[in-house]
Amino acid sequence: MMLCPVIKKLVSKRVVLASASPRRQEILNCAGLRFEVVPSKFKETLDKASFAAPYEYAVETAKQKALEVANRMNVKDFRPPDIVIGADTVVTVDGLILEKPADKQDAYNMLSRLNGKVHSVFTGVAIIHCSSKDKQLETEVFEFYEETKVKFSDLSEELLWEYIHSGEPMDKAGGYGIQALGGMLVEYVHGDFLNVVGFPLNHFCKKLMELYYPPAKDAMHHEEHDSIPSVETFEILSDEEYESANSTQQNVTNKLEGDSAFSSGAIGSLGKKEIGDSVVKCSGDLENLTKFPSTLVELLDGFKASKAMFVASKLKVFDLLKGKALLKAKDVADHINASVCGTERLLDSCTALQLLRKTNQGYSNTELADKYLVSNSEYSLHGYIMHADDHVWPLFTHLESAVKEGTNQNYRAFGKKAQDLFQDSYYHSMETKLRFMNAMHSIIKLTARDVATAFDLSRFHSACDLGGCTGTLAQVLIQEYPNLKVTVFDLPNVIENVSCFQPTGQDTSRITFTSGDFFKDNIPEADLYILSRVLHDWPDDKIDALLSKISDLCKPGCALLVAEIVLGKEKTGPPRAVLQALSMTEGKQRSSSEYKQLLEKYGFTQVQTKITGNFLDAILGFKKTTHIQ
Ligand code: SAM
């Protein structure tokens, strides 16, 4: 049985576990994951003193283990695996990191330290997505850690030595194995039991959900939304299937969040029955722990986290710490012209949010920040973050009025009444126009490939991307389809600024930019029309005008490709879409069946939806011979 639906998604992928630990293998096997085992040759010799916290050491070691395997396989097998999983478990007590004991005396020293006390077990996990370009390995690293508290009973010397002589402590972090004889030493466990065994399956499943089902199944997050890893996430879904996929994931997430440490035990032979009486005693405490409304608290503080990231982005903190730069709070404060105490608080907050790392030498970016928050990185979300801070944040400040009045709050937020959002609000000055274009550019850059390849578009020779903005989707379309020419159609004040968004060194001769108003002007002829993030902005009468125009121009066999976030049947998710609607214009988000109905109304047939798992989903319909109203 596979409790985590995303594990099914990995079936067609070559997954490698970079660990020789039979316990990790058993945990992942029981979860239904299919993988090869290639033990890492990375020597666990990182300087522990250089890490500010023990989990950082565990995460870094896990990452290095996985990278060593990925690199070795890339060279040896001429092709890297798709995913490499690395893990490292450490035990910490009294500020010391304990790994595997070197000999019996070392095991005794470790167990004596743990005797009668509470200690922490940290497992760092790295999930590495690999691809190879010209035999060069390219990796994308996702990492996390899990902490579990374990309390040892007061144990006699005799019992400790008896346990040591059993031989069990020798290959185990901290010198004990909780899943076997070592379970007898333990009075209680707070947290994920399997984390102590060696692999935090619960957190791992949540992380996979976050990576492969970002907005629908977890608040973005992905942050870390993610670039979307190269795992097949496309599905053709009806509303019902969408809902059931969503609710399965939701159920699993709820279960994982709501259950105590023992929930993961249900997955196999590492379950309850092997935990032992001593551990069961903790259930009362765990019940209390699970009563803590963590979901609510996350919501309560969510706005603080967003604003901290916005401000750090605005002050270009991530640009400063780009690459391997390690800077102290004072250096950062000097560079960004801010107070040292305020900067330190901001940097610590970003560290807590896993955007930065902190060591004795200073702060540095996490991979996530390097990839998405540095303003000139290829997949930077900086433009979108600035738009969110300057435009969306003020609108949300007036959310109460928006709800009471049922209108957008442009006037209250910006002193502008938006008749046409694009003319009056987004583009009212050069600065706001460029900020908006930057925001659109950063999102579509991440999602364009998934939209372009959601369906096989190779039969089309000409496409017209209406409201195509900076032409980013067009760039990906011409890369994917060598016979396709694309016209990007947008308002004049957008087209006049597209030059600063064009890639260097890429042949863009099959892209043409045409300016005009798709409501008032003629639109270019094409076999494929594209509306990416256009429909949700407009009220029904405008949509009617636009789709009628497209339908009239479309010859039989031609098609309309729509890219939007597709809502579930009940329209209560994904959260990104429903939350966006709160501050929106006169338009609305739609479900898969609503898009089908809409496209069919304008003469399109065989309408299919694909949920990409990325920012935008894709809907394609083909023009019928007769136009049915
Ligand atoms: N398609 C791009 C994407 O997915 O990133 C941009 C989407 S953005 C939300 C909407 C785009 O529609 C903007 O580029 C805007 O300038 C353009 N647009 C709005 N009104 C328009 C009109 N009347 N005629 C042509 N383009 C328009």
Side-chain angles (χ1 to χ4, degrees):
M1 186 174 81
M2 273 182 264
L3 290 178
C4 178
V6 80
I7 284 180
K8 204 169 75 192
K9 297 272 179 199
L10 303 182
V11 163
S12 60
K13 296 287 153 190
R14 189 175 179 202
V15 180
V16 168
L17 175 65
S19 168
S21 158
R23 297 168 292 281
R24 291 198 182 111
Q25 292 167 27
E26 189 175 1
I27 292 169
L28 288 171
N29 260 325
C30 289
L33 189 72
R34 290 215 325 242
F35 56 94
E36 299 162 43
V37 176
V38 180
S40 180
K41 294 182 181 168
F42 176 74
K43 300 262 175 286
E44 297 177 18
T45 51
L46 295 173
D47 176 14
K48 296 187 183 77
S50 66
F51 294 88
Y55 67 82
E56 290 180 0
Y57 169 80
V59 167
E60 188 60 27
T61 305
K63 186 172 99 184
Q64 294 305 333
K65 283 180 179 176
L67 284 172
E68 187 280 322
V69 167
N71 279 308
R72 184 152 40 98
M73 292 183 78
N74 188 43
V75 174
K76 261 184 115 177
D77 298 8
F78 300 111
R79 151 179 116 74
D82 298 307
I83 295 163
V84 181
I85 301 162
D88 187 59
T89 303
V90 295
V91 168
T92 67
V93 65
D94 304 331
L96 274 179
I97 296 180
L98 310 180
E99 288 184 295
K100 293 168 193 151
D103 51 31
K104 286 189 173 177
Q105 185 57 45
D106 197 20
Y108 172 76
N109 295 343
M110 286 186 183
L111 292 169
S112 306
R113 277 188 185 282
L114 303 178
N115 202 357
K117 286 193 219 151
V118 175
H119 63 269
S120 286
V121 179
F122 290 99
T123 301
V125 176
I127 304 169
I128 313 251
H129 287 269
C130 308
S131 56
S132 191
K133 233 190 220 162
D134 303 328
K135 299 210 174 118
Q136 281 292 319
L137 179 69
E138 292 192 356
T139 56
E140 203 174 356
V141 182
F142 303 92
E143 50 189 43
F144 67 90
Y145 72 92
E146 182 71 31
E147 177 180 8
T148 305
K149 300 251 189 226
V150 179
K151 163 97 180 359
F152 263 32
S153 295
D154 285 318
L155 304 162
S156 66
E157 293 274 304
E158 233 182 311
L159 200 143
L160 286 186
W161 277 111
E162 203 177 316
Y163 180 56
I164 293 166
H165 290 314
S166 74
E168 195 179 274
M170 299 319 294
D171 63 337
K172 306 198 171 57
Y176 72 98
I178 197 167
Q179 69 285 354
L181 277 179
M184 287 189 289
L185 315 177
V186 172
E187 196 171 301
Y188 64 73
V189 178
H190 276 181
D192 183 351
F193 174 78
L194 290 183
N195 186 45
V196 188
V197 179
F199 197 80
L201 183 65
N202 178 316
H203 198 154
F204 178 69
C205 289
K206 283 182 185 161
K207 193 74 191 169
L208 293 182
M209 301 274 219
E210 199 181 301
L211 294 176
Y212 301 132
Y213 294 95
K217 288 81 196 171
D218 196 354
M220 283 280 303
H221 127 276
H222 155 154
E223 56 72 357
E224 136 175 12
H225 184 32
D226 78 350
S227 96
I228 295 304
S230 59
V231 171
E232 298 293 348
T233 54
F234 293 142
E235 285 172 23
I236 302 179
L237 294 181
S238 67
D239 277 354
E240 286 70 21
E241 287 164 330
Y242 183 104
E243 283 305 313
S244 94
N246 233 344
S247 73
T248 317
Q249 286 145 20
Q250 206 52 56
N251 288 341
V252 172
T253 310
N254 289 344
K255 178 170 171 40
L256 295 177
E257 278 178 359
D259 285 3
S260 72
F262 301 122
S263 62
S264 342
I267 59 123
S269 62
L270 291 163
K272 251 181 191 166
K273 65 181 166 52
E274 289 195 16
I275 294 172
D277 284 346
S278 56
V279 183
V280 175
K281 277 187 207 156
C282 68
S283 62
D285 292 331
L286 283 169
E287 268 168 28
N288 285 335
L289 268 187
T290 54
K291 275 185 196 145
F292 180 69
S294 50
T295 312
L296 280 185
V297 174
E298 266 176 39
L299 289 180
L300 263 172
D301 287 340
F303 77 100
K304 297 176 195 164
S306 303
K307 193 68 180 179
M309 181 175 77
F310 294 172
V311 170
S313 295
K314 190 166 247 171
L315 296 175
K316 301 272 178 84
V317 167
F318 305 109
D319 287 11
L320 200 60
L321 296 172
K322 183 181 167 181
K324 298 264 170 281
L326 263 172
L327 292 178
K328 302 262 189 212
K330 162 128 189 29
D331 306 323
V332 177
D334 286 348
H335 272 95
I336 64 173
N337 206 10
S339 71
V340 178
C341 65
T343 304
E344 188 161 13
R345 280 182 211 140
L346 181 65
L347 297 176
D348 285 342
S349 303
C350 290
T351 307
L353 296 172
Q354 300 189 23
L355 306 176
L356 295 180
R357 237 179 241 121
K358 184 181 183 181
T359 64
N360 293 337
Q361 279 85 48
Y363 297 88
S364 61
N365 281 347
T366 56
E367 285 73 16
L368 194 68
D370 263 345
K371 185 155 190 186
Y372 300 111
L373 301 180
V374 170
S375 65
N376 62 359
S377 71
E378 191 183 355
Y379 293 106
S380 178
L381 283 168
H382 185 81
Y384 189 65
I385 291 170
M386 290 303 94
H387 171 71
D389 193 29
D390 294 338
H391 190 86
V392 186
W393 185 273
L395 286 176
F396 268 79
T397 309
H398 298 286
L399 183 59
E400 187 182 337
S401 308
V403 170
K404 284 183 176 161
E405 295 162 12
T407 55
N408 78 54
Q409 296 296 309
N410 278 291
Y411 188 70
R412 277 198 178 87
F414 310 112
K416 293 230 145 229
K417 233 191 178 86
Q419 299 300 334
D420 179 331
L421 187 74
F422 293 94
Q423 309 280 8
D424 302 343
S425 181
Y426 289 148
Y427 303 156
H428 82 268
S429 69
M430 181 61 118
E431 190 197 336
T432 52
K433 181 175 29 172
L434 284 177
R435 190 184 64 211
F436 181 75
M437 289 177 74
N438 252 312
M440 295 304 105
H441 185 67
S442 59
I443 294 289
I444 196 73
K445 223 171 162 185
L446 277 179
T447 196
R449 197 156 307 273
D450 281 350
V451 169
T453 57
F455 301 98
D456 179 6
L457 305 175
S458 53
R459 76 184 76 180
F460 303 110
H461 293 99
S462 60
C464 177
D465 187 1
L466 294 161
C469 205
T470 58
T472 314
L473 179 57
Q475 286 156 23
V476 175
L477 282 166
I478 61 160
Q479 282 172 2
E480 291 291 333
Y481 303 103
N483 297 322
L484 189 66
K485 290 184 176 160
V486 186
T487 304
V488 177
F489 185 90
D490 210 301
L491 294 166
N493 53 12
V494 169
I495 296 297
E496 70 201 21
N497 284 292
V498 292
S499 57
C500 40
F501 295 93
Q502 300 318 300
T504 44
Q506 191 192 318
D507 176 14
T508 52
S509 56
R510 281 183 285 129
I511 301 177
T512 312
F513 287 93
T514 303
S515 63
D517 181 327
F518 48 49
F519 294 121
K520 297 184 188 142
D521 300 321
N522 288 334
I523 55 179
E525 284 195 11
D527 341 313
L528 175 69
Y529 284 96
I530 300 168
L531 291 171
S532 171
R533 280 193 295 171
V534 169
L535 291 180
H536 74 263
D537 270 329
W538 300 103
D540 290 347
D541 59 328
K542 292 279 193 185
I543 290 201
D544 179 59
L546 184 57
L547 289 183
S548 299
K549 202 175 211 175
I550 295 172
S551 179
D552 288 346
L553 272 173
C554 248
K555 299 188 180 72
C558 294
L560 171 61
L561 175 69
V562 172
E564 292 283 356
I565 314 175
V566 173
L567 289 178
K569 195 169 125 204
E570 300 300 331
K571 300 199 216 166
T572 51
R576 273 196 71 240
V578 281
L579 290 173
Q580 186 186 4
L582 277 173
S583 71
M584 242 171 53
T585 54
E586 323 308 329
K588 61 178 179 201
Q589 312 277 5
R590 292 173 173 78
S591 69
S592 175
S593 65
E594 284 177 321
Y595 277 116
K596 186 168 186 289
Q597 256 180 338
L598 184 69
L599 265 59
E600 283 174 352
K601 183 173 166 202
Y602 294 92
F604 293 91
T605 183
Q606 301 166 50
V607 180
Q608 293 178 22
T609 296
K610 288 203 181 178
I611 304 298
T612 68
N614 205 320
F615 272 107
L616 298 176
D617 304 310
I619 304 117
L620 183 72
F622 290 87
K623 186 68 196 302
K624 281 202 291 210
T625 321
T626 44
H627 179 151
I628 298 171
Q629 281 284 357

